Amino acid sequence: VVILFMTLNYKLTGLVFVGLFYVLAMVCLLMTISGWVIGIIEAIGVSVATGMAVDYVLHLSHSFNHQPAGPAPERVRGALQEMGISILSGCLTTWIACIALYCCDFLWFRLFGCFVTMVIWSSFFITMTGVTAILSLYGPESIEDGEVILPEWTGIKRYTAEEAVTVRGEVTENDL
């Protein structure tokens, strides 16, 4: 619901949700391969992973949503040029911070460092390979493609560039 409200595009929301689902599935798979037994602490960690995993997918989809109308692969390329380095930098800095957790004697901190590493690298991998491929193949080609039509009582209206000029006399980035 939050993703839909922020993008106002049901098509993009569905594709992003699929990417987020695969990130969480990959984290659970890695936990199982590592031999972790899912207990209370691990279950809490998986719920925390949802919040951590959504960052990279949402940053890329937000950038994709604000690219000029055109073929989906071009919009993905623009989104990667705009947000790709930020996503990579966020992944690397979080992973470097986890190195301090690996050096702790307390087992819980060491395991948490491993868990965070699994989450961020899974999210990075799925976002940069899977989500970009899905958006290139099936992504909306403009804001209007898959746009959610909201009731007028919400007060939220998305203006086209021509309407924005007549309403305010100028075009801003939010209008496009």
mmCIF file with all atom_site columns, all heavy atoms in Angstrom, residues 26-36 118:
data_model
loop_
_atom_site.group_PDB
_atom_site.id
_atom_site.type_symbol
_atom_site.label_atom_id
_atom_site.label_alt_id
_atom_site.label_comp_id
_atom_site.label_asym_id
_atom_site.label_entity_id
_atom_site.label_seq_id
_atom_site.pdbx_PDB_ins_code
_atom_site.Cartn_x
_atom_site.Cartn_y
_atom_site.Cartn_z
_atom_site.occupancy
_atom_site.B_iso_or_equiv
_atom_site.pdbx_formal_charge
_atom_site.auth_seq_id
_atom_site.auth_comp_id
_atom_site.auth_asym_id
_atom_site.auth_atom_id
_atom_site.pdbx_PDB_model_num
ATOM 1  N N   . MET A 1 26  ? 15.544 -14.770 -0.986 1.00 0.00 ? 26  MET A N   1
ATOM 2  C CA  . MET A 1 26  ? 16.965 -15.077 -1.076 1.00 0.00 ? 26  MET A CA  1
ATOM 3  C C   . MET A 1 26  ? 17.618 -15.052 0.308  1.00 0.00 ? 26  MET A C   1
ATOM 4  O O   . MET A 1 26  ? 18.465 -15.891 0.615  1.00 0.00 ? 26  MET A O   1
ATOM 5  C CB  . MET A 1 26  ? 17.663 -14.100 -2.012 1.00 0.00 ? 26  MET A CB  1
ATOM 6  C CG  . MET A 1 26  ? 19.090 -14.450 -2.310 1.00 0.00 ? 26  MET A CG  1
ATOM 7  S SD  . MET A 1 26  ? 19.724 -13.346 -3.568 1.00 0.00 ? 26  MET A SD  1
ATOM 8  C CE  . MET A 1 26  ? 20.864 -14.424 -4.367 1.00 0.00 ? 26  MET A CE  1
ATOM 9  N N   . VAL A 1 27  ? 17.228 -14.108 1.153  1.00 0.00 ? 27  VAL A N   1
ATOM 10 C CA  . VAL A 1 27  ? 17.769 -14.049 2.513  1.00 0.00 ? 27  VAL A CA  1
ATOM 11 C C   . VAL A 1 27  ? 17.379 -15.305 3.282  1.00 0.00 ? 27  VAL A C   1
ATOM 12 O O   . VAL A 1 27  ? 18.223 -15.921 3.956  1.00 0.00 ? 27  VAL A O   1
ATOM 13 C CB  . VAL A 1 27  ? 17.290 -12.774 3.242  1.00 0.00 ? 27  VAL A CB  1
ATOM 14 C CG1 . VAL A 1 27  ? 17.624 -12.824 4.723  1.00 0.00 ? 27  VAL A CG1 1
ATOM 15 C CG2 . VAL A 1 27  ? 17.913 -11.542 2.610  1.00 0.00 ? 27  VAL A CG2 1
ATOM 16 N N   . CYS A 1 28  ? 16.127 -15.720 3.168  1.00 0.00 ? 28  CYS A N   1
ATOM 17 C CA  . CYS A 1 28  ? 15.694 -16.947 3.855  1.00 0.00 ? 28  CYS A CA  1
ATOM 18 C C   . CYS A 1 28  ? 16.439 -18.163 3.315  1.00 0.00 ? 28  CYS A C   1
ATOM 19 O O   . CYS A 1 28  ? 16.817 -19.063 4.075  1.00 0.00 ? 28  CYS A O   1
ATOM 20 C CB  . CYS A 1 28  ? 14.183 -17.128 3.710  1.00 0.00 ? 28  CYS A CB  1
ATOM 21 S SG  . CYS A 1 28  ? 13.237 -15.922 4.651  1.00 0.00 ? 28  CYS A SG  1
ATOM 22 N N   . LEU A 1 29  ? 16.675 -18.188 2.007  1.00 0.00 ? 29  LEU A N   1
ATOM 23 C CA  . LEU A 1 29  ? 17.435 -19.285 1.402  1.00 0.00 ? 29  LEU A CA  1
ATOM 24 C C   . LEU A 1 29  ? 18.865 -19.319 1.942  1.00 0.00 ? 29  LEU A C   1
ATOM 25 O O   . LEU A 1 29  ? 19.374 -20.380 2.315  1.00 0.00 ? 29  LEU A O   1
ATOM 26 C CB  . LEU A 1 29  ? 17.448 -19.151 -0.118 1.00 0.00 ? 29  LEU A CB  1
ATOM 27 C CG  . LEU A 1 29  ? 18.324 -20.147 -0.874 1.00 0.00 ? 29  LEU A CG  1
ATOM 28 C CD1 . LEU A 1 29  ? 17.697 -21.537 -0.803 1.00 0.00 ? 29  LEU A CD1 1
ATOM 29 C CD2 . LEU A 1 29  ? 18.507 -19.716 -2.304 1.00 0.00 ? 29  LEU A CD2 1
ATOM 30 N N   . LEU A 1 30  ? 19.508 -18.166 2.017  1.00 0.00 ? 30  LEU A N   1
ATOM 31 C CA  . LEU A 1 30  ? 20.878 -18.105 2.533  1.00 0.00 ? 30  LEU A CA  1
ATOM 32 C C   . LEU A 1 30  ? 20.940 -18.510 4.004  1.00 0.00 ? 30  LEU A C   1
ATOM 33 O O   . LEU A 1 30  ? 21.893 -19.170 4.433  1.00 0.00 ? 30  LEU A O   1
ATOM 34 C CB  . LEU A 1 30  ? 21.456 -16.709 2.334  1.00 0.00 ? 30  LEU A CB  1
ATOM 35 C CG  . LEU A 1 30  ? 21.767 -16.316 0.890  1.00 0.00 ? 30  LEU A CG  1
ATOM 36 C CD1 . LEU A 1 30  ? 22.151 -14.850 0.804  1.00 0.00 ? 30  LEU A CD1 1
ATOM 37 C CD2 . LEU A 1 30  ? 22.866 -17.196 0.324  1.00 0.00 ? 30  LEU A CD2 1
ATOM 38 N N   . MET A 1 31  ? 19.923 -18.138 4.772  1.00 0.00 ? 31  MET A N   1
ATOM 39 C CA  . MET A 1 31  ? 19.886 -18.538 6.177  1.00 0.00 ? 31  MET A CA  1
ATOM 40 C C   . MET A 1 31  ? 19.757 -20.053 6.287  1.00 0.00 ? 31  MET A C   1
ATOM 41 O O   . MET A 1 31  ? 20.405 -20.679 7.135  1.00 0.00 ? 31  MET A O   1
ATOM 42 C CB  . MET A 1 31  ? 18.719 -17.849 6.895  1.00 0.00 ? 31  MET A CB  1
ATOM 43 C CG  . MET A 1 31  ? 18.929 -16.368 7.109  1.00 0.00 ? 31  MET A CG  1
ATOM 44 S SD  . MET A 1 31  ? 17.479 -15.535 7.766  1.00 0.00 ? 31  MET A SD  1
ATOM 45 C CE  . MET A 1 31  ? 17.346 -16.251 9.372  1.00 0.00 ? 31  MET A CE  1
ATOM 46 N N   . THR A 1 32  ? 18.940 -20.637 5.435  1.00 0.00 ? 32  THR A N   1
ATOM 47 C CA  . THR A 1 32  ? 18.759 -22.089 5.459  1.00 0.00 ? 32  THR A CA  1
ATOM 48 C C   . THR A 1 32  ? 20.025 -22.807 5.021  1.00 0.00 ? 32  THR A C   1
ATOM 49 O O   . THR A 1 32  ? 20.441 -23.796 5.641  1.00 0.00 ? 32  THR A O   1
ATOM 50 C CB  . THR A 1 32  ? 17.578 -22.487 4.545  1.00 0.00 ? 32  THR A CB  1
ATOM 51 O OG1 . THR A 1 32  ? 16.422 -21.780 4.970  1.00 0.00 ? 32  THR A OG1 1
ATOM 52 C CG2 . THR A 1 32  ? 17.312 -23.970 4.606  1.00 0.00 ? 32  THR A CG2 1
ATOM 53 N N   . ILE A 1 33  ? 20.657 -22.314 3.965  1.00 0.00 ? 33  ILE A N   1
ATOM 54 C CA  . ILE A 1 33  ? 21.904 -22.915 3.491  1.00 0.00 ? 33  ILE A CA  1
ATOM 55 C C   . ILE A 1 33  ? 22.985 -22.825 4.565  1.00 0.00 ? 33  ILE A C   1
ATOM 56 O O   . ILE A 1 33  ? 23.791 -23.741 4.725  1.00 0.00 ? 33  ILE A O   1
ATOM 57 C CB  . ILE A 1 33  ? 22.370 -22.239 2.179  1.00 0.00 ? 33  ILE A CB  1
ATOM 58 C CG1 . ILE A 1 33  ? 21.439 -22.628 1.037  1.00 0.00 ? 33  ILE A CG1 1
ATOM 59 C CG2 . ILE A 1 33  ? 23.805 -22.604 1.850  1.00 0.00 ? 33  ILE A CG2 1
ATOM 60 C CD1 . ILE A 1 33  ? 21.683 -21.860 -0.246 1.00 0.00 ? 33  ILE A CD1 1
ATOM 61 N N   . SER A 1 34  ? 22.993 -21.722 5.319  1.00 0.00 ? 34  SER A N   1
ATOM 62 C CA  . SER A 1 34  ? 23.989 -21.542 6.381  1.00 0.00 ? 34  SER A CA  1
ATOM 63 C C   . SER A 1 34  ? 23.718 -22.425 7.591  1.00 0.00 ? 34  SER A C   1
ATOM 64 O O   . SER A 1 34  ? 24.527 -22.476 8.509  1.00 0.00 ? 34  SER A O   1
ATOM 65 C CB  . SER A 1 34  ? 24.022 -20.077 6.832  1.00 0.00 ? 34  SER A CB  1
ATOM 66 O OG  . SER A 1 34  ? 24.373 -19.245 5.762  1.00 0.00 ? 34  SER A OG  1
ATOM 67 N N   . GLY A 1 35  ? 22.567 -23.082 7.613  1.00 0.00 ? 35  GLY A N   1
ATOM 68 C CA  . GLY A 1 35  ? 22.250 -23.977 8.715  1.00 0.00 ? 35  GLY A CA  1
ATOM 69 C C   . GLY A 1 35  ? 21.612 -23.292 9.904  1.00 0.00 ? 35  GLY A C   1
ATOM 70 O O   . GLY A 1 35  ? 21.549 -23.869 10.994 1.00 0.00 ? 35  GLY A O   1
ATOM 71 N N   . TRP A 1 36  ? 21.110 -22.069 9.727  1.00 0.00 ? 36  TRP A N   1
ATOM 72 C CA  . TRP A 1 36  ? 20.467 -21.374 10.826 1.00 0.00 ? 36  TRP A CA  1
ATOM 73 C C   . TRP A 1 36  ? 19.092 -21.972 11.076 1.00 0.00 ? 36  TRP A C   1
ATOM 74 O O   . TRP A 1 36  ? 18.326 -22.217 10.149 1.00 0.00 ? 36  TRP A O   1
ATOM 75 C CB  . TRP A 1 36  ? 20.313 -19.886 10.519 1.00 0.00 ? 36  TRP A CB  1
ATOM 76 C CG  . TRP A 1 36  ? 21.604 -19.121 10.525 1.00 0.00 ? 36  TRP A CG  1
ATOM 77 C CD1 . TRP A 1 36  ? 22.855 -19.637 10.607 1.00 0.00 ? 36  TRP A CD1 1
ATOM 78 C CD2 . TRP A 1 36  ? 21.749 -17.723 10.433 1.00 0.00 ? 36  TRP A CD2 1
ATOM 79 N NE1 . TRP A 1 36  ? 23.783 -18.635 10.569 1.00 0.00 ? 36  TRP A NE1 1
ATOM 80 C CE2 . TRP A 1 36  ? 23.128 -17.432 10.466 1.00 0.00 ? 36  TRP A CE2 1
ATOM 81 C CE3 . TRP A 1 36  ? 20.873 -16.668 10.324 1.00 0.00 ? 36  TRP A CE3 1
ATOM 82 C CZ2 . TRP A 1 36  ? 23.641 -16.157 10.398 1.00 0.00 ? 36  TRP A CZ2 1
ATOM 83 C CZ3 . TRP A 1 36  ? 21.379 -15.388 10.256 1.00 0.00 ? 36  TRP A CZ3 1
ATOM 84 C CH2 . TRP A 1 36  ? 22.743 -15.128 10.301 1.00 0.00 ? 36  TRP A CH2 1
ATOM 85 N N   . MET A 1 118 ? 24.057 -10.628 4.458  1.00 0.00 ? 118 MET A N   1
ATOM 86 C CA  . MET A 1 118 ? 23.174 -11.385 3.570  1.00 0.00 ? 118 MET A CA  1
ATOM 87 C C   . MET A 1 118 ? 22.072 -10.497 2.991  1.00 0.00 ? 118 MET A C   1
ATOM 88 O O   . MET A 1 118 ? 21.761 -10.566 1.798  1.00 0.00 ? 118 MET A O   1
ATOM 89 C CB  . MET A 1 118 ? 22.520 -12.549 4.322  1.00 0.00 ? 118 MET A CB  1
ATOM 90 C CG  . MET A 1 118 ? 23.406 -13.723 4.563  1.00 0.00 ? 118 MET A CG  1
ATOM 91 S SD  . MET A 1 118 ? 22.441 -15.086 5.243  1.00 0.00 ? 118 MET A SD  1
ATOM 92 C CE  . MET A 1 118 ? 23.140 -15.212 6.850  1.00 0.00 ? 118 MET A CE  1
#
